[in-house]
Amino acid sequence: MDLVLLGAPGAGKGTQASLLGEILPLPRVSSGDLFRAALANQTELGLKAKVYMDRGELVPDEITIGMVAERISQPDCAHGVIFDGFPRTVAQAQALDDLLGRMGRKVDLVIYIRVSTPVLLERLAGRWTCPKCGRVYHRLYSPEKVQGECDDCHVPLYQRDDDTPETQSRRIAVYLEQTAPLQAFYRERGLLVEVNGEQDIQAVHADIVKAIQKARGEAA
Ligand code: ADP
Ligand code: ADP
Ligand code: ZN
């Protein structure tokens, strides 16, 4: 199954992708995590992407699509992927259709996690991330067990450079301009299921699991 998680920055895509990873035997492909890993390794791709990430802008489609194409050509992605943060533009969605099409696959389901802007800002402000595994925590809503360190890796958590107030607002505006049109793109194709993202993490997860079961049932 190829599943896309769609939603604004802070909607809970990464959180839900991790939870799904525990029940769906599929790799999670997060374009943001791929860019951050490239940057940590000081690759040319990472350094190019950083300029855009620091401004809260999207990295150009050509760079992003190439990176994701490379990732999903790897053997662990042969049976499906949970996409988190990709596609983010109509051009990326079309490229994903082409890429999967060449593998005899297609996007099976798109979960749109709906969250209003004030809630997004509150979530981004309290987000702490593990530099090693990418797991996210929230000071109020999803705290780590031992303050300041990842439950799984036991390394210190950090706040992302692009989680400053100015960049947060810019990223939400960029989402509304460039990514929100994907809601209609996938709705027209009958692939979009909308989930209320303002519930607690487990309730959102339960709604997503229901949507996946329904999609699978109808496909069978
Ligand atoms: P968030 O979890 O807050 O939505 P991400 O980790 O997904 O943020 O992305 C961080 C940044 O990486 C984005 O602001 C953007 O600069 C870049 N990025 C991630 N995914 C994409 C994409 N699909 N297209 C273009 N840029 C992207
Ligand atoms: P995205 O990947 O869409 O940018 P994240 O999964 O990184 O979103 O979540 C953003 C922040 O909000 C994190 O600090 C996370 O712990 C928290 N969070 C995620 N889902 C919820 C929820 N349903 N209720 C409260 N906080 C949440
Ligand atoms: Zn970790």
Side-chain angles (χ1 to χ4, degrees):
M1 169 175 238
D2 287 288
L3 177 72
V4 171
L5 297 178
L6 185 65
K13 301 179 297 296
T15 300
Q16 295 300 329
S18 304
L19 287 175
L20 284 176
E22 293 169 14
I23 58 162
L24 283 178
L26 296 176
R28 162 187 169 205
V29 171
S30 156
S31 40
D33 282 356
L34 291 173
F35 284 131
R36 281 183 289 277
L39 184 58
N41 293 324
Q42 297 280 308
T43 66
E44 201 189 321
L45 174 91
L47 295 170
K48 258 191 207 160
K50 182 180 177 2
V51 178
Y52 299 94
M53 294 169 81
D54 283 348
R55 282 193 233 134
E57 308 281 337
L58 294 184
V59 179
D61 285 334
E62 201 187 283
I63 299 177
T64 306
I65 292 165
M67 176 184 73
V68 172
E70 221 273 338
R71 176 67 189 91
I72 68 175
S73 69
Q74 290 165 19
D76 64 320
C77 294
H79 302 292
V81 168
I82 301 169
F83 291 96
D84 159 12
F86 180 91
R88 257 175 155 98
T89 62
V90 171
Q92 290 179 18
Q94 286 163 340
L96 182 60
D97 280 351
D98 289 346
L99 287 168
L100 290 176
R102 271 182 249 149
M103 299 191 257
R105 286 155 50 187
K106 60 175 185 56
V107 172
D108 295 297
L109 180 64
V110 179
I111 307 275
Y112 166 49
I113 307 176
R114 183 172 37 80
V115 174
S116 60
T117 299
V119 177
L120 294 173
L121 289 171
E122 197 196 357
R123 288 192 186 168
L124 292 173
R127 173 160 71 183
W128 287 76
T129 305
C130 173
K132 201 166 165 206
C133 71
R135 183 165 164 187
V136 293
Y137 297 86
H138 191 284
R139 275 288 130 93
L140 301 175
Y141 307 122
S142 181
E144 60 280 12
K145 290 198 188 103
V146 175
Q147 202 189 338
E149 75 174 48
C150 179
D151 293 354
D152 300 323
C153 313
H154 307 287
V155 298
L157 302 176
Y158 78 111
Q159 273 196 306
R160 279 169 40 182
D161 289 349
D162 61 345
D163 272 345
T164 61
E166 307 77 55
T167 323
Q168 283 162 12
S169 309
R170 182 70 198 130
R171 278 155 58 215
I172 293 171
V174 165
Y175 172 84
L176 294 173
E177 260 165 48
Q178 300 187 53
T179 309
L182 290 181
Q183 292 164 35
F185 179 93
Y186 285 121
R187 191 177 290 115
E188 282 160 17
R189 287 163 177 72
L191 296 174
L192 194 83
V193 174
E194 184 171 315
V195 165
N196 172 9
E198 295 195 7
Q199 314 171 79
D200 68 42
I201 292 173
Q202 285 304 330
V204 176
H205 175 64
D207 282 357
I208 293 176
V209 169
K210 264 185 239 155
I212 292 171
Q213 285 168 341
K214 191 164 172 237
R216 279 178 162 175
E218 282 168 6

